[in-house]
Amino acid sequence: MKKTFSYRLNIFLFLLPALILFVGILIAPIAMSAYYSLNDFNSVAGKSMTFVWLDNYKELFSRTLLNSETGKAFVNDKFMGDALVNSLVLAALSVFIQLPLALLIALKLSKGITGERAYLSVFFMPVLISTVIIGRLWMNIYDPGKAGILNAALKAMGIDQWLFPWITKHISSSKLPFTGQWTGFKETALGAAFIPILWQYVGYHMLLMYAGIKGVPADLLEAAKLDGCREGQVNRYIIIPYIKPILKVSVIFAVTGSLKSFDLIYTLMKDTTKAELPSTLMYKLLFLHNRYGLGSAIAVILIALCFLFAILISLAFRDKGEKVS
Amino acid sequence: MKHNVKKILSSALVHILLLALVFINIFPLYWMVTFSLKTNDEILGYSYKDAETGQRVQVLPNHVGLPHHWEWGNYTEAMKTGNMGQYFINSLAVTVLAITITLIASFMATYALTRLVWKGRKTMSKFFMLGLTIPIHAAIVPVYVMLSKLGLLNTYSALIFPYSAFALAMGILISTGFMGDIPYDLDEAAFLDGCGTWGIFLRVIAPLMMPAIATVGIYTFLQCWNELLFATVFVSSGKYRTLPVGVQQLFGQYTTRWGPIGAALTIATMPTLIAYAFLSRRIQGSFIAGAVKG
């Protein structure tokens, strides 16, 4: 009896550090965020919390959000709605442009091309660089002044009049490109933000897929070739179904990553309203306008969406797998 | 013969496309290093009045070329005025301590979850895996309130513990894979030799977890070294500011001077890139381990 007790105590002691960190900093805060989101809560120091049920959620999707100190409206559009749409657009771009591109490169590289390792290492490199650095670097690339190399390159090629309107149809040409900033227009801002995201993360997904493809048993591939499968058929019927678990992970990362995305937009743009995301809106509400209740409501929505999408994507991949088998 | 030509052409085309991608990947970094060594005049172009002829001479901007004159002063300025040296040390301290805590907590938890037999350990594993999906936004307000009540805002701890907590799930996931590879016979032999639970963990398991230290460490390092949101919110004093925030603040100071900004960006990027040059396989391996086992 005594021995089982000490055994149990040991199990508890081994788990203790992890439990303290995990419950204290991840699990309990979710509950607290949920509680805060139901309160009008405008100061960390004071005890000015009043329970307001779902008012914060209503306000978040209403037309005006108020600054708690000045009482003035600081945005006057359906901002949370827009922010959610923006993050879903980013997610869709990631899934339908970034992942296919990554898969294409991974398929090419994994077939034993000369310099395979070198290509792989270079393509993965941007993943390691801080998003802050990447944001700033691309801010300089998009710079509207003389030093911005994107506009300089367009000018040098003499195509500044027609290349920019491809990206947006709605801006009058007088505003284009040398007076405006790439990240400064609603029509281009989100696209301009997606390019660096694509640049940074395509290598990440490529690496995962490459590792997955390398794990496909060699005899499986040989058998397919002996049966007369062409490369495209091998890719479609053997490799892609085989690496489905990795594709699932990639899709989940791409979608939840887009929902959570903060660093890049925050550093790339001085004014994030042009491409507002839930997390940048949350940051503003919390630390520029002291609306802790409202900010917490966004946090709760984000947690819920991350879990919802992770579950939905897992289910989607499971269903297709069952149909095949 | 004809088939061969076609094959060579198509492989050449693949290489050309891949090399174009290599260029796209490397160019922004090359550009960053070059403008970190230029003056604004060189980047933007300028004109001056020639003393002899009295005519205005136009000097064209040097956007992408190598610097004509290597302006190392940008680096001294980023270190001194921009305080990048201090931020570098802060980042290092926070990251190293967060990695240490993550490793200890996740090895201990993994030991309890995989080598000790008890009811509910499967559920407990799943519980920890929730951490893979929970976004850091979930914690930001409550942890801010907690830290401010404990008087821990603007300390290293304000970042170390949240970073460890958010790295924990991945740490446990990766360690589970590594610990599963250690033969269970070793535990039994040690037990027969008189080792207790702690003895087995410290003398048998922990020494064999060296490869896991590298994998978990690398993953945690990159997460902490580059983190921005917590670092912006929980630390406002310059004394404990980390590199990403320091770089971000520098933009406010030098909105129009490109050289020092480029120098700061380069200082913040180089450690990771140098490490990557030597450890590329290991670093890639830890990312694969993190995703494939998930």
Side-chain angles (χ1 to χ4, degrees), chain B residues 66-253:
Chain B
L66 288 170
H68 301 310
H69 168 76
W70 294 51
E71 187 70 26
W72 289 106
N74 289 335
Y75 281 82
T76 11
E77 195 165 345
M79 289 301 272
K80 270 193 196 145
T81 327
N83 222 357
M84 296 308 286
Q86 176 69 45
Y87 303 155
F88 195 95
I89 293 168
N90 292 342
S91 270
L92 203 63
V94 167
T95 307
V96 168
L97 289 168
I99 291 175
T100 314
I101 293 176
T102 307
L103 283 172
I104 294 173
S106 54
F107 282 5
M108 285 175 66
T110 310
Y111 181 72
L113 292 170
T114 60
R115 317 287 287 196
L116 302 181
V117 185
W118 50 287
K119 217 171 149 187
R121 62 180 187 164
K122 287 253 162 66
T123 319
M124 187 61 97
S125 294
K126 280 189 187 143
F127 174 65
F128 279 120
M129 288 311 113
L130 288 177
L132 295 174
T133 317
I134 298 174
I136 63 167
H137 311 72
I140 203 148
V141 183
V143 174
Y144 183 79
V145 172
M146 253 191 275
L147 290 170
S148 92
K149 281 186 180 151
L150 296 170
L152 285 174
L153 287 173
N154 289 318
T155 57
Y156 286 141
S157 314
L159 296 178
I160 292 169
F161 291 105
Y163 285 175
S164 317
F166 276 91
L168 192 67
M170 190 55 91
I172 291 177
L173 181 68
I174 296 173
S175 312
T176 304
F178 279 96
M179 220 176 266
D181 292 341
I182 300 173
Y184 283 79
D185 302 350
L186 291 178
D187 301 41
E188 273 168 35
F191 179 72
L192 293 177
D193 284 346
C195 272
T197 327
W198 288 89
I200 295 174
F201 175 70
L202 290 172
R203 295 203 193 131
V204 181
I205 304 291
L208 290 172
M209 287 293 278
M210 284 299 164
I213 291 183
T215 308
V216 177
I218 289 167
Y219 208 94
T220 313
F221 171 84
L222 286 164
Q223 235 177 16
C224 305
W225 189 260
N226 295 336
E227 206 282 331
L228 179 66
L229 190 53
F230 280 172
T232 311
V233 173
F234 297 157
V235 172
S236 52
S237 104
K239 209 174 155 196
Y240 300 102
R241 189 174 291 154
T242 54
L243 268 179
V245 190
V247 171
Q248 176 78 12
Q249 304 271 331
L250 200 66
F251 307 156
Q253 281 173 38

Side-chain angles (χ1 to χ4, degrees), chain A residues 29 31-53 55-56 59 66-69 285-287 289-297, chain B residues 139-146 148-149:
Chain A
M32 284 160 84
S33 285
Y35 176 69
Y36 291 158
S37 77
L38 302 174
N39 279 274
D40 196 19
F41 174 29
N42 300 323
S43 137
V44 174
K47 284 172 184 153
S48 59
M49 264 204 243
T50 35
F51 198 74
V52 292
W53 290 104
D55 283 6
N56 284 326
E59 190 181 347
L66 301 177
N67 181 313
S68 71
E69 275 164 18
L285 287 168
L286 292 178
F287 301 103
H289 302 284
N290 299 325
R291 300 294 308 268
Y292 298 104
L294 270 182
S296 298
Chain B
I140 203 148
V141 183
V143 174
Y144 183 79
V145 172
M146 253 191 275
S148 92
K149 281 186 180 151

Side-chain angles (χ1 to χ4, degrees), chain A residues 7 10 33 119 121 146 199 267, chain B residues 15 24 63 138 198 248 276:
Chain A
Y7 188 69
N10 276 333
S33 285
Y119 283 128
S121 295
K146 275 195 285 183
W199 182 80
T267 32
Chain B
H15 276 285
I24 292 170
H63 284 302
W198 288 89
Q248 176 78 12
Y276 184 56

Side-chain angles (χ1 to χ4, degrees), chain A residues 239-250:
Chain A
I239 294 180
I240 292 177
Y242 194 89
I243 62 167
K244 206 164 237 174
I246 290 192
L247 296 180
K248 182 185 88 181
V249 172
S250 272

Side-chain angles (χ1 to χ4, degrees), chain A residues 3 7 10-11 13-15 17-19 21-30 32-33 36 41 44 101 105 108-109 113-115 117 119-133 136-141 143 146-149 152 199 204 207-208 211 246 248-249 253 256 259-263 266-267 270 279 282-283 286-287 292 295-296 299 302-303 306-307 310, chain B residues 14-15 18-19 21-22 24-29 31-32 35 43-45 63-64 101 105 108-109 111-113 116-118 124 127-128 130-135 137-146 148 161-162 164-166 168-169 172 191 197-198 201 219 222 226-229 232-233 244 247-248 251 255 258 261 265 268-269 272-273 276 280-281 283-284 287-288 291-292 294:
Chain A
K3 199 176 177 193
Y7 188 69
N10 276 333
I11 291 172
L13 288 178
F14 271 108
L15 286 172
L19 277 177
L21 283 174
F22 197 72
V23 175
I25 299 178
L26 272 83
I27 303 298
I30 293 182
M32 284 160 84
S33 285
Y36 291 158
F41 174 29
V44 174
L101 193 63
I105 304 172
K108 270 288 160 230
L109 280 187
I113 202 166
T114 337
R117 286 285 320 163
Y119 283 128
L120 189 75
S121 295
V122 172
F123 296 160
F124 182 69
M125 184 189 60
V127 179
L128 307 174
I129 300 169
S130 160
T131 312
V132 176
I133 312 264
R136 180 62 207 201
L137 213 46
W138 284 83
M139 192 177 173
N140 284 7
I141 289 174
D143 192 281
K146 275 195 285 183
I149 52 168
W199 182 80
Y204 175 71
L207 179 77
L208 300 190
I246 290 192
K248 182 185 88 181
V249 172
F253 279 2
T256 55
L259 287 171
K260 296 188 270 191
S261 175
F262 171 80
D263 297 16
Y266 180 72
T267 32
K270 280 183 192 129
S279 58
M282 181 185 90
Y283 181 83
L286 292 178
F287 301 103
Y292 298 104
S296 298
L302 277 178
I303 302 164
C306 281
F307 277 100
Chain B
V14 168
H15 276 285
L18 289 174
L19 284 173
L21 283 176
V22 168
I24 292 170
N25 272 280
I26 292 190
F27 180 76
L29 295 175
W31 186 59
M32 170 180 86
F35 81 70
I43 297 167
L44 300 170
H63 284 302
V64 293
I101 293 176
M108 285 175 66
Y111 181 72
L113 292 170
L116 302 181
V117 185
W118 50 287
M124 187 61 97
F127 174 65
F128 279 120
L130 288 177
L132 295 174
T133 317
I134 298 174
H137 311 72
I140 203 148
V141 183
V143 174
Y144 183 79
V145 172
M146 253 191 275
S148 92
F161 291 105
S164 317
F166 276 91
L168 192 67
I172 291 177
F191 179 72
T197 327
W198 288 89
F201 175 70
Y219 208 94
L222 286 164
N226 295 336
E227 206 282 331
L228 179 66
L229 190 53
T232 311
V233 173
V247 171
Q248 176 78 12
F251 307 156
T255 35
W258 287 49
I261 288 176
L265 295 178
T269 316
T272 338
L273 288 189
Y276 184 56
S280 64
R281 260 172 199 274
I283 292 176
Q284 291 164 10
F287 275 83
I288 294 169
V292 174

